[in-house]
Amino acid sequence: GAGVSQSPSNKVTEKGKDVELRCDPISGHTALYWYRQSLGQGLEFLIYFQGNSAPDKSGLPSDRFSAERTGGSVSTLTIQRTQQEDSAVYLCASSSRVASGGKSTDTQYFGPGTRLTVL
Amino acid sequence: DAKTTQPPSMDCAEGRAANLPCNHSTISGNEYVYWYRQIHSQGPQYIIHGLKNNETNEMASLIITEDRKSSTLILPHATLRDTAVYYCIVRVAHSGNTPLVFGKGTRLSVIA
């Protein structure tokens, strides 16, 4: 089936503008995660959604960042008043808990990412 | 989640086995070992995971030591397309999904 998709693939914006990044998870996956990867850096967790529970926002770097997940499927990450340090690749992943052969797994599958450049 | 230690980089000749080590000496009994890789300009890709038994799939094999303090990811016949950063991650798989904590990984270069 289809994997995780993200749009746009690239976004160039001016400092101070708002941007919205979209993630379409794998159908049926209950958990959705946002990460970001700055140039030459590792992946940094931002926020995740699990079913109908309140999202875990502990990784959001500032209150300019927010995310929502409508209908338990598509998610939008919004960055308000963008700054140059927000430039990064924003990655989305989804997962669903599966138990198989006595081994439990909630393997996360990643999308291709959105490369955000703030000028 | 327990921390992991991986060499920053490794080289491997094309067609040979690539053996990527990972130390996780503080791993807990309910923590799994996951391996992901990230090819340049792509999102991370799941490879394999295990708890205590060795695991094999179409991509790789995972060998976990008996004391579970270390593991090795084996790519049996490395190709140029296996050039990537490989991440070893230890995490608990429980009733709630949790974010992955990525370290710096090992940059594997497969050389023709």
Side-chain angles (χ1 to χ4, degrees):
Chain A
V4 177
S5 61
Q6 293 184 245
S7 61
S9 56
N10 282 284
K11 176 71 176 178
V12 180
T13 190
E14 294 180 347
K15 178 182 174 181
K17 296 289 180 81
D18 298 350
V19 295
E20 288 189 349
L21 311 179
R22 177 187 169 105
C23 172
D24 285 85
I26 293 172
S27 178
H29 277 193
T30 56
L32 185 149
Y33 309 77
W34 283 98
Y35 298 83
R36 76 174 176 180
Q37 187 170 31
S38 303
L39 186 63
Q41 302 296 313
L43 283 90
E44 172 190 15
F45 161 70
L46 297 177
I47 184 171
Y48 92 95
F49 300 85
Q50 171 59 56
N52 295 321
S53 302
D56 178 344
K57 305 179 183 179
S58 60
L60 294 178
S62 79
D63 58 8
R64 295 186 295 105
F65 288 72
S66 63
E68 63 178 20
R69 188 180 185 191
T70 55
S73 180
V74 172
S75 177
T76 302
L77 176 70
T78 301
I79 309 173
Q80 295 179 308
R81 306 180 302 281
T82 52
Q83 303 294 313
Q84 289 183 331
E85 60 263 28
D86 298 335
S87 295
V89 176
Y90 288 81
L91 291 153
C92 175
S94 70
S95 69
S96 186
R97 184 170 176 78
V98 174
S100 174
K103 185 172 72 173
S104 176
T105 177
D106 51 1
T107 300
Q108 295 180 25
Y109 296 90
F110 285 78
T114 293
R115 181 175 298 277
L116 174 66
T117 303
V118 182
L119 302 177
Chain B
D1 289 354
K3 292 181 66 175
T4 62
T5 303
Q6 299 178 253
S9 64
M10 291 181 64
D11 292 339
C12 178
E14 188 178 20
R16 304 296 294 269
N19 299 291
L20 294 97
C22 179
N23 287 324
H24 32 79
S25 59
T26 59
I27 192 170
S28 299
N30 62 346
E31 289 180 316
Y32 288 75
V33 180
Y34 281 76
W35 283 84
Y36 280 76
R37 73 180 183 183
Q38 188 173 25
I39 296 170
H40 183 61
S41 296
Q42 298 183 21
Q45 177 188 23
Y46 166 77
I47 302 173
I48 198 167
H49 78 287
L51 183 62
K52 55 183 179 180
N53 297 324
N54 296 338
E55 302 285 345
T56 296
N57 62 20
E58 64 278 5
M59 290 183 67
S61 294
L62 174 60
I63 308 299
I64 303 173
T65 57
E66 192 169 343
D67 63 7
R68 301 186 69 238
K69 293 183 184 298
S70 65
S71 61
T72 301
L73 178 74
I74 301 173
L75 307 179
H77 305 287
T79 70
L80 297 178
R81 288 175 293 181
D82 292 322
T83 292
V85 178
Y86 287 77
Y87 297 98
C88 170
I89 300 167
V90 172
R91 66 192 289 258
V92 176
H94 49 47
S95 59
N97 296 304
T98 56
L100 296 168
V101 178
F102 288 83
K104 297 187 183 298
T106 296
R107 182 174 297 278
L108 175 69
S109 298
V110 180
I111 303 167

